[in-house]
Amino acid sequence: MRWSQLYVPTLREDPADADAVSHRLLVRGGFVRQLMAGHYSLLPLAVRVRAKIVDVIREEMTAIGAQEFVLPAMHPAEVWQRTGRWEVMGEEMFRLKDRKGADMALGMTHEEIFTVLSQELRSYRDLPQLWYQFQTKFRDEARPKSGLLRVREFTMKDSYSFDAADEGLDHSFDLHRGAYERIFERLGLPAIAVQASSGSMGGSASVEFMSPSDAGEDLVVRCLGCGYAANTEKATSALAAVTDGPGLDMPERFDTPDARTIDELARLHCVPAERQIKTLVYVVDDQLTLVLLRGDHSLVEQKLIDTLAATAVRPATAEEIQAALGASPGSLGAVGVTGLPILADEALRGRTDMTTGANTDGVHLRGLSVERDIAVQRWADLREVVSGEPCPACGEPLEVVVTIEVGHIFKLGRKYTETLGVTVLGPDGDRVVPTMGSYGIGVERAMASIVETHHDEKGIVWPVSVAPFEVAVVALGVTDATVAEAAEDLYRQLRAERVDVLLDDRNERPGVKFSDVELVGIPYRITVGARGLAEGTVEVTTRATGETQLVPVAQAVEHVRKLLTAAA
Amino acid sequence: MRWSQLYVPTLREDPADADAVSHRLLVRGGFVRQLMAGHYSLLPLAVRVRAKIVDVIREEMTAIGAQEFVLPAMHPAEVWQRTGRWEVMGEEMFRLKDRKGADMALGMTHEEIFTVLSQELRSYRDLPQLWYQFQTKFRDEARPKSGLLRVREFTMKDSYSFDAADEGLDHSFDLHRGAYERIFERLGLPAIAVQASSGSMGGSASVEFMSPSDAGEDLVVRCLGCGYAANTEKATSALAAVTDGPGLDMPERFDTPDARTIDELARLHCVPAERQIKTLVYVVDDQLTLVLLRGDHSLVEQKLIDTLAATAVRPATAEEIQAALGASPGSLGAVGVTGLPILADEALRGRTDMTTGANTDGVHLRGLSVERDIAVQRWADLREVVSGEPCPACGEPLEVVVTIEVGHIFKLGRKYTETLGVTVLGPDGDRVVPTMGSYGIGVERAMASIVETHHDEKGIVWPVSVAPFEVAVVALGVTDATVAEAAEDLYRQLRAERVDVLLDDRNERPGVKFSDVELVGIPYRITVGARGLAEGTVEVTTRATGETQLVPVAQAVEHVRKLLTAAA
C-alpha cells in the first residue's frame, strides 16, 4: 500500500474529549472517529489491525476445534423472555418494535440464540460442539467512555460449548482458557486470568482476563508470590487476626452526638475502626436487609448479589432506614433487630468488645460480642480486599491493580439448555440436557487495550502481530528520482517477500513523515534518503526502541525480514 | 477439515416453508437456519462460502483503489433527519430509543454516515476517495421471503465515492461498474447490467445488476439483438404506430351499463383496448392526480414517482374518486376535468377517435381526440414494457426476464454532501462540494443467487471460487484400515498443496455420504474404496457433470489440481 492512496487523517493535537491514552492515540493516528457517544467508525488503519486480531483469534479457535457461525444481531423478545433475561438485562439492552409491533432485542450476547440452534442436536455422539462467531454486540451502556474501551456497539468473538457431561464442560472450558492465553500472548496483551463473578450469565465458575491499564475500571487483586489472582468481586485475603478484649456482659449505650462516621468515632471516642461494626442497609430484590462489616472494611456489592443470588441491590434511602430502624445513618446497628435479614462479613465472626450504633441518633453501643448480641442470619465474604493484605493462598502481600477486562469465560451449566428445552439422547438411552460454556473477547476493546500497553510519548508502538503494516519505507524527498526509485524497489522486494509494507511516497517534509510513522506505530521504518543512498545505505529504525542502524541497500530486505522473524 | 468434526445438519426432506430453490437447498444442506422471519443463522458451511464471496469482493475493491472501513450499524436520528430520509424511509427503517430517550436508526444504508466522515476531507487533492465496508444492514421488509433472498438483516458490501468534479464521479462509477462485472463473473453469477430508477437514493443515474431466477421479484427487459437492458421501472420500447380514424368533431356519450372494464368495453362495444384510454386516479404526495394510459397498457408506479419526483404514491380510494369525479372506476375519464393534474403516457400523444369514461356511471365517450379534448399537463413514459415489443434501440423483439437484484450502483451527485455541509478546497481556491456515488452488493443474497443459478435435482453445484470446500475425499468403509489410511493420505497431500479439502471420515453408508456431498455441492469428489484400492485406483467425480474417472491413486492429487486450475 502507498501512503498517498491511504486515508490516514492524523491530527497534530490531542482530541479535547479523550481521557484514555488509547482513545487519544487512535483518534490522533487516524484509526477511528466517533459518530456518537459509544459508536465509532473504524478507518482503514483500524480495519487492518482489527483483521489481524480477528485472524489470531480465528486461528486459535480453529486450533481447539471450534466452528465459525454468524447468528443474527436482532432477536425476537420471546427467546429472551423464556430465559428471564428480557427483564434481567434492564436498560442495558437495546429494544425495538418491528413494523408489526413485535418486540425485538439487539443482541448483547448470544447464549439464547446459540442455544436455540443447539435444539437440533440429536445425540451425545454429536457432542461436544464448540461454536463461535464474530458478531456485532449492542449494549446501551450508561456511560460510554474511553474511546473503544467502553462502547455501545462492538465486535465480539463469542463462543459457546455444548457438552453432555460436566467433565466435558470442564474440558471445553480448559480448552478455551488455553486458547485465550495464547491469543492474548500473540496479541501482545498482558492478561491476568482471575476468578470472577458470573453476574447476569449465571453458572458455576468464571474466569476473567484482565489487562493492567490506568484506563481500566476493574480492580484485580493479585499475589506476585504464588500467582493467586481474582477480581475484587471475588477476591479475598487472609486478614491478620485482631486481639479482642473480653468486652462487657451486655452492650452499653454511650452518647456520641458528635460522631456520625467511622472516622469521627475513632478520632473522638478512641474506638479504632477495626473495633467498630459498620451497619449498611440495602434493598435486595425489594427486601430491606442489614449488611455488617468491620469498620475499616468496604462492601463489594457484587459479593452481596452473588451471596443472595439477587437480581438487583441498592442502598436503602434515608427514609426507608428511618422507617425500619428509627435512626439515621451514623447511628445504626443490628443489636436487637429482628424481622430483617442480617448478613455479616466473615471478618466479624467471633469478635468481642465491639462498638456499633444503637439505632438512636447520637448514641452508640460498646462492649458487644457479635455472635452473642446480633442475630446474624448469614455469614459471608462481603468485604473488598485492599493492597497489602496477606494472600489467602501464601500469605504474601496482595497487590490491587487497575485493569481492563479483555476476555471472560463462563461455565454456564444447564441454565439455558434446560429453559429452552434442549435434550440429546444419552449413552444409556435417556434424554440428557447438555451443559454449556460461554466465552467472549471484545475485538475493538482488545485493539484499544493493546494501545494502552504499547505506546510511548510519540504514539502507538504496535506489536508486529497486529500492526497495520509491519514495515514503512519512508522516501525522503520523493522528487529525487534516485530516492523514489530506491524506495519503490525496496517496496517491491518486501511485497514479493509477503511483508506487509507501506510506502510513504507523500511529498511531505521528513519531520511530518517520521512523526506520522511513529504516531501510527509501524514497528520498523526503512528510511531512504539521498545522502545515505550516495553511500549505498538506508536506515532501519525499530519503533519500540528507537534504535537506528545503517544497512547496505542490498541487505535491507533481508535485515528487516530477520527483525520480523525475531519479533514473531 | 474432517466431516466428523464439522457441523452440517443436512435434512432428507425439504423444509415445508421454502419457496425458492436456494432457500430449500441451503436449509437442506445445513448451511442456514431461520431464527425468525427475515433473520437467518449462518452455519459453518455458509460461513465458509460467505468468506470466499467477501474475499472476491474485497480483492476487486482493492484493485480499484477502494479502502476498507467499518462504520456503526446504529445511527443518530439527527443525521437522517438532516437529509430528509428519516421520513422517506418510512416503515422500512428500524428505529429505537436509547436509555436517554434519544432517537436512533439501524442503518439500512450508509450514505449519511460516510458523508459525515467525509466532512474531514480538506482539499480536492484528497480526492477521489473510494471508501467501502462490509457491514450489517437492517431493513424492516414488509414481507421477508425466499430464504436469504429477501431478509431483514444482511451483510452488505457498500462503497461510496467522493470526487471533486462530475467527470471524476463518472470515472469512479465506471470503476465500480467494471469491478462489479468482474465480481459477478468470478462468483459465477450471470448478472445483466440494466439502467434503473434511483428510488429513494436520489441522483442522476443508476445501474442494477440483475441475475435471472424464478425466485426473483424484479422484471428486466432486454434485447438479445443489441444488448439493450433495463429494469421495467426504466425500460421502454418502440411501439408499432396505431392508425386512427379522424374521430368526431366532439366526443359523443354512449351508454355502457354493462361495461366496467377495458375488456368488457372491448367485447361488448367493439372498442379494441388500444383505442381506449385507461384513466387511473392516484394520490401523489397528497395530491389527487389523473394518470392516462392506453387501454392495453399497464402503469409502472416507479415511473410515476420518478416523473413527479414524488415521495409516495398510492391509488386513490373509491370514495376519493367519487368525491373528485362523481363516478366510479369503470366509467372514469379526463375529458372536461380541470383543477386536477393530468399525466398522460407518451403512447397517447396525437391519438384520435378514442374512447374513455364520461365520469357518469355506465356512460362512456367516443370519437375523442386526446390532445384536443383533454387538458394534459404532462406527457411521460409511464407504461410497462411487455415481451415481444420492439427494442427502442434496434427494433428486435424485447424479452422480459424475472431476476434478482444482486448489485446496484448509483451516481448520487451532491445531494448528501450539500445537505451535510461537505466542502473541500477547489483547484481555484474556491470551496467545492464533492459529488458522490454509492455502490452495493448484498453478500448473503449473492450466496443464495449463486445457488439459484447453480443447482440440480441432487442439490447445490457450487462454482469452485465460492464452494465451501473444493474437494471432498470420501472414504467408503472407514473401518477398513487400508481405506482409512489411503483417504487420510490423500487428504494430507491435498492440504499440503493448499487445496481446500474436506475428508468425509464418517462411519456412514456410501449412499448417505454421496448424497450429502452432492447436496452440499462440493465441486470434486475423490472416492476411496477397498475394491478400487485393490487395483490401485480411486474415483474422481465432477459434481457439475456427474462424470466419474478412474485415476491411479498416485496421480489423484495431480489430477484434481488440474481440474481445479481448469475451473478457476
Side-chain angles (χ1 to χ4, degrees):
Chain A
M1 178 69 74
R2 291 158 195 280
W3 200 309
S4 61
Q5 287 161 29
L6 184 67
Y7 184 63
V8 188
T10 54
L11 306 176
R12 295 292 149 238
E13 304 293 327
D14 281 340
D17 59 336
D19 41 1
V21 171
S22 58
H23 185 191
R24 188 161 58 76
L25 291 177
L26 288 169
V27 170
R28 276 193 53 200
F31 289 77
V32 302
R33 289 296 183 261
Q34 181 180 291
L35 172 62
M36 59 179 163
H39 299 261
Y40 281 82
S41 296
L42 305 186
L43 275 50
L45 286 185
V47 171
R48 297 180 72 92
V49 175
R50 178 174 178 266
K52 292 189 181 186
I53 295 173
V54 164
D55 282 348
V56 165
I57 298 175
R58 183 176 282 133
E59 280 176 25
E60 296 296 342
M61 286 294 108
T62 302
I64 62 169
Q67 298 188 61
E68 189 168 353
F69 288 62
V70 181
L71 269 56
M74 191 181 292
H75 308 164
E78 184 263 336
V79 183
W80 286 85
Q81 284 159 349
R82 283 175 66 191
T83 63
R85 293 210 294 181
W86 180 256
E87 277 73 39
V88 171
M89 291 308 193
E91 283 194 304
E92 209 178 330
M93 181 181 260
F94 280 112
R95 297 151 203 260
L96 69 160
K97 286 182 188 294
D98 70 7
R99 65 160 75 204
K100 288 175 186 139
D103 282 314
M104 302 284 150
L106 295 181
M108 308 174 52
T109 176
H110 276 72
E111 280 75 17
E112 277 80 356
I113 310 303
F114 268 98
T115 306
V116 166
L117 265 190
S118 78
Q119 291 169 341
E120 217 174 319
L121 295 167
R122 303 273 168 77
S123 157
Y124 73 98
R125 284 194 212 90
D126 296 338
L127 303 180
Q129 291 288 343
L130 301 185
W131 293 350
Y132 78 101
Q133 64 175 349
F134 292 94
Q135 175 59 302
T136 306
K137 302 288 188 255
F138 296 90
R139 296 182 184 174
D140 197 354
E141 290 283 347
R143 283 169 300 280
K145 56 183 265 195
S146 307
L148 295 184
L149 288 174
R150 186 162 293 278
V151 293
R152 304 205 305 181
E153 176 180 353
F154 62 98
T155 312
M156 192 174 202
K157 188 289 297 174
D158 45 330
S159 28
Y160 305 87
S161 62
F162 297 87
D163 281 279
D166 292 348
E167 309 80 63
L169 171 57
D170 292 345
H171 183 63
S172 294
F173 187 85
D174 290 344
L175 283 177
H176 271 89
R177 184 173 175 142
Y180 275 37
E181 283 166 356
R182 286 188 295 278
I183 288 166
F184 294 125
E185 188 179 335
R186 290 179 62 183
L187 298 182
L189 204 44
I192 310 166
V194 304
Q195 297 167 37
S197 164
S198 297
S200 65
M201 284 293 175
S204 63
S206 90
V207 168
E208 278 176 331
F209 293 84
M210 311 299 288
S211 187
S213 158
D214 293 343
E217 298 187 59
D218 290 298
L219 296 179
V220 158
V221 174
R222 72 166 164 187
C223 171
L224 294 178
C226 70
Y228 168 83
N231 194 307
T232 42
E233 294 176 350
K234 274 290 230 207
T236 185
S237 61
L239 280 185
V242 182
T243 310
D244 291 329
L248 306 172
D249 287 345
M250 56 178 296
E252 177 184 84
R253 291 167 69 97
F254 64 110
D255 289 337
T256 52
D258 42 4
R260 307 186 59 86
T261 66
I262 301 282
D263 270 359
E264 286 166 356
L265 199 65
R267 205 152 29 82
L268 306 174
H269 297 271
C270 294
V271 186
E274 65 185 34
R275 308 210 59 77
Q276 298 184 40
I277 299 173
K278 182 186 284 183
T279 305
L280 303 173
V281 188
Y282 266 78
V283 179
V284 179
D285 290 343
D286 299 331
Q287 169 63 57
L288 211 70
T289 301
L290 299 195
V291 181
L292 311 185
L293 294 145
R294 211 168 83 177
D296 56 339
H297 289 164
S298 297
L299 173 69
V300 176
E301 283 191 2
Q302 188 64 47
K303 288 187 175 181
L304 183 60
I305 293 172
D306 291 345
T307 299
L308 298 177
T311 301
V313 306
R314 63 168 175 84
T317 63
E319 292 70 35
E320 288 167 328
I321 293 170
Q322 186 72 44
L325 300 178
S328 307
S331 302
L332 304 179
V335 175
V337 172
T338 55
L340 290 180
I342 301 175
L343 261 78
D345 181 69
E346 290 286 357
L348 290 176
R349 213 193 267 269
R351 297 292 307 279
T352 56
D353 200 19
M354 300 290 283
T355 297
T356 189
N359 287 336
T360 305
D361 285 352
V363 181
H364 278 77
L365 299 172
R366 65 185 157 205
L368 75 88
S369 295
V370 176
E371 294 183 63
R372 180 191 67 191
D373 298 324
I374 299 179
V376 172
Q377 279 191 353
R378 185 144 175 199
W379 297 89
D381 171 36
L382 299 170
R383 71 187 161 85
E384 184 175 291
V385 171
V386 297
S387 260
E389 287 177 359
C391 171
C394 76
E396 289 293 302
L398 292 168
E399 182 187 34
V400 178
V401 192
V402 185
T403 59
I404 300 163
E405 183 200 296
V406 290
H408 203 161
I409 61 180
F410 298 90
K411 289 186 188 175
L412 295 176
R414 299 182 166 81
K415 168 177 166 177
Y416 296 93
T417 40
E418 227 155 46
T419 315
L420 296 172
V422 181
T423 63
V424 297
L425 192 70
D428 308 327
D430 302 337
R431 303 302 298 178
V432 174
V433 178
T435 179
M436 286 176 67
S438 154
Y439 317 89
I441 295 177
V443 176
E444 292 86 7
R445 183 185 283 187
M447 186 188 311
S449 300
I450 295 168
V451 177
E452 291 288 329
T453 304
H454 300 276
H455 67 270
D456 61 19
E457 71 291 350
K458 293 176 178 170
I460 303 171
V461 187
W462 291 110
V464 171
S465 59
V466 297
F469 295 94
E470 294 167 328
V471 177
V473 174
V474 177
L476 296 188
V478 289
T479 51
D480 179 333
T482 321
V483 169
E485 269 167 39
E488 285 281 347
D489 193 45
L490 285 169
Y491 174 61
R492 268 193 302 271
Q493 287 182 54
L494 286 162
R495 278 166 59 97
E497 298 269 344
R498 303 192 150 272
V499 172
D500 201 2
V501 57
L502 176 65
L503 175 65
D504 189 353
D505 57 347
R506 295 174 299 167
N507 189 11
E508 291 280 2
R509 289 180 294 111
V512 170
K513 293 188 161 202
F514 289 159
S515 62
D516 274 349
V517 169
E518 283 161 352
L519 176 58
V520 305
I522 299 175
Y524 300 103
R525 184 182 82 210
I526 304 180
T527 310
V528 183
R531 232 178 318 168
L533 285 179
E535 291 164 13
T537 61
V538 293
E539 285 178 8
V540 176
T541 306
T542 300
R543 174 69 183 88
T545 59
E547 199 193 337
T548 293
Q549 285 184 275
L550 275 183
V551 179
V553 180
Q555 289 166 31
V557 170
E558 184 54 24
H559 183 83
V560 165
R561 260 176 37 89
K562 278 189 189 147
L563 289 173
L564 288 170
T565 307
Chain B
M1 178 70 75
R2 291 158 195 279
W3 199 309
S4 60
Q5 287 161 30
L6 185 66
Y7 185 63
V8 187
T10 55
L11 306 176
R12 295 292 150 238
E13 306 292 329
D14 280 342
D17 59 336
D19 42 0
V21 171
S22 58
H23 185 191
R24 189 161 59 74
L25 292 177
L26 288 170
V27 171
R28 275 195 53 201
F31 289 78
V32 303
R33 290 294 183 263
Q34 182 180 289
L35 172 63
M36 59 178 163
H39 299 262
Y40 281 82
S41 296
L42 305 186
L43 275 50
L45 286 186
V47 170
R48 296 180 72 93
V49 175
R50 177 174 178 265
K52 291 189 182 185
I53 295 173
V54 164
D55 282 348
V56 166
I57 298 174
R58 183 176 282 134
E59 279 176 26
E60 296 297 341
M61 286 294 108
T62 302
I64 63 170
Q67 299 189 59
E68 189 169 353
F69 287 63
V70 180
L71 270 55
M74 191 181 293
H75 307 164
E78 183 264 336
V79 182
W80 286 84
Q81 283 159 350
R82 282 175 67 191
T83 64
R85 294 210 295 181
W86 180 256
E87 276 73 39
V88 171
M89 290 309 192
E91 283 194 303
E92 209 178 330
M93 182 181 258
F94 280 111
R95 297 152 202 260
L96 68 160
K97 286 182 189 292
D98 70 7
R99 65 159 76 205
K100 286 174 188 140
D103 282 314
M104 302 285 150
L106 295 182
M108 308 175 52
T109 176
H110 276 73
E111 281 76 16
E112 278 80 356
I113 309 304
F114 268 98
T115 306
V116 166
L117 265 190
S118 79
Q119 291 169 340
E120 217 175 317
L121 295 167
R122 304 274 168 75
S123 156
Y124 73 97
R125 284 194 212 89
D126 297 337
L127 302 180
Q129 291 288 343
L130 301 185
W131 293 351
Y132 78 102
Q133 64 175 348
F134 292 94
Q135 176 59 301
T136 305
K137 302 288 189 254
F138 295 91
R139 295 183 184 174
D140 198 354
E141 291 283 347
R143 282 170 300 281
K145 56 182 266 195
S146 306
L148 294 184
L149 288 173
R150 187 164 292 278
V151 292
R152 306 205 302 181
E153 175 178 354
F154 62 98
T155 313
M156 191 173 203
K157 187 291 294 175
D158 45 330
S159 27
Y160 305 86
S161 63
F162 297 87
D163 281 279
D166 293 349
E167 309 80 64
L169 171 57
D170 292 344
H171 182 63
S172 294
F173 187 85
D174 290 343
L175 282 177
H176 271 89
R177 185 173 175 140
Y180 275 37
E181 284 166 356
R182 286 187 295 279
I183 288 166
F184 294 125
E185 189 179 335
R186 291 179 63 184
L187 299 181
L189 206 44
I192 310 166
V194 304
Q195 297 168 36
S197 162
S198 296
S200 64
M201 284 293 175
S204 62
S206 89
V207 168
E208 277 176 331
F209 293 84
M210 311 298 289
S211 186
S213 158
D214 292 343
E217 298 188 59
D218 290 298
L219 296 178
V220 158
V221 174
R222 71 167 164 186
C223 172
L224 295 177
C226 70
Y228 169 82
N231 193 309
T232 42
E233 294 177 350
K234 273 290 229 208
T236 185
S237 62
L239 279 184
V242 182
T243 309
D244 291 329
L248 305 172
D249 286 348
M250 57 179 296
E252 178 183 79
R253 291 166 70 99
F254 65 110
D255 287 336
T256 52
D258 42 5
R260 306 185 60 85
T261 66
I262 302 281
D263 271 359
E264 287 166 357
L265 199 64
R267 205 153 26 83
L268 303 173
H269 297 271
C270 294
V271 186
E274 66 185 32
R275 308 210 60 76
Q276 299 183 40
I277 299 174
K278 183 186 282 182
T279 305
L280 303 173
V281 189
Y282 266 78
V283 179
V284 178
D285 292 342
D286 299 331
Q287 169 63 57
L288 212 68
T289 301
L290 298 195
V291 180
L292 311 185
L293 294 144
R294 211 169 83 178
D296 57 339
H297 288 164
S298 297
L299 172 69
V300 176
E301 284 191 2
Q302 188 64 46
K303 288 187 175 180
L304 182 61
I305 293 173
D306 291 345
T307 299
L308 298 176
T311 300
V313 306
R314 64 168 174 84
T317 63
E319 293 70 36
E320 287 168 329
I321 294 171
Q322 187 71 45
L325 300 178
S328 308
S331 301
L332 303 180
V335 175
V337 172
T338 55
L340 289 180
I342 301 176
L343 261 77
D345 182 68
E346 289 287 358
L348 290 176
R349 213 193 267 271
R351 298 292 306 279
T352 56
D353 199 18
M354 300 291 282
T355 296
T356 189
N359 287 338
T360 305
D361 285 353
V363 181
H364 278 77
L365 298 173
R366 63 184 161 209
L368 74 87
S369 295
V370 176
E371 293 184 63
R372 179 192 67 191
D373 298 324
I374 299 179
V376 172
Q377 281 193 352
R378 184 144 176 199
W379 297 88
D381 170 36
L382 298 170
R383 72 185 161 88
E384 183 175 292
V385 171
V386 296
S387 259
E389 287 177 359
C391 172
C394 75
E396 289 293 302
L398 292 168
E399 182 186 34
V400 178
V401 192
V402 185
T403 58
I404 300 163
E405 182 201 296
V406 290
H408 203 161
I409 61 179
F410 298 89
K411 289 186 187 174
L412 295 177
R414 299 184 167 79
K415 169 177 166 176
Y416 297 93
T417 40
E418 226 154 47
T419 315
L420 296 172
V422 181
T423 62
V424 297
L425 192 70
D428 309 328
D430 301 338
R431 303 303 298 178
V432 173
V433 178
T435 178
M436 284 176 71
S438 153
Y439 317 89
I441 294 178
V443 176
E444 292 86 7
R445 183 185 283 186
M447 187 188 310
S449 301
I450 294 169
V451 177
E452 291 289 327
T453 303
H454 299 277
H455 67 271
D456 60 19
E457 70 292 349
K458 293 176 180 170
I460 303 171
V461 188
W462 292 110
V464 171
S465 59
V466 296
F469 295 92
E470 294 167 330
V471 177
V473 174
V474 177
L476 297 187
V478 289
T479 51
D480 179 334
T482 322
V483 170
E485 268 168 39
E488 285 281 347
D489 193 44
L490 286 169
Y491 174 62
R492 268 194 303 269
Q493 287 182 55
L494 286 162
R495 278 166 59 97
E497 297 272 343
R498 302 193 152 270
V499 172
D500 202 1
V501 57
L502 176 64
L503 174 65
D504 187 353
D505 57 347
R506 295 175 300 165
N507 188 11
E508 292 280 1
R509 288 180 295 110
V512 170
K513 292 186 160 201
F514 289 159
S515 62
D516 274 349
V517 169
E518 282 161 355
L519 176 60
V520 305
I522 299 174
Y524 300 103
R525 183 183 82 209
I526 304 180
T527 310
V528 183
R531 233 178 317 168
L533 285 180
E535 291 163 13
T537 61
V538 292
E539 285 178 10
V540 176
T541 305
T542 300
R543 174 72 183 86
T545 59
E547 197 193 339
T548 293
Q549 285 184 274
L550 276 182
V551 179
V553 180
Q555 289 166 32
V557 170
E558 184 54 23
H559 183 83
V560 165
R561 261 177 36 90
K562 278 188 188 148
L563 289 172
L564 288 170
T565 308

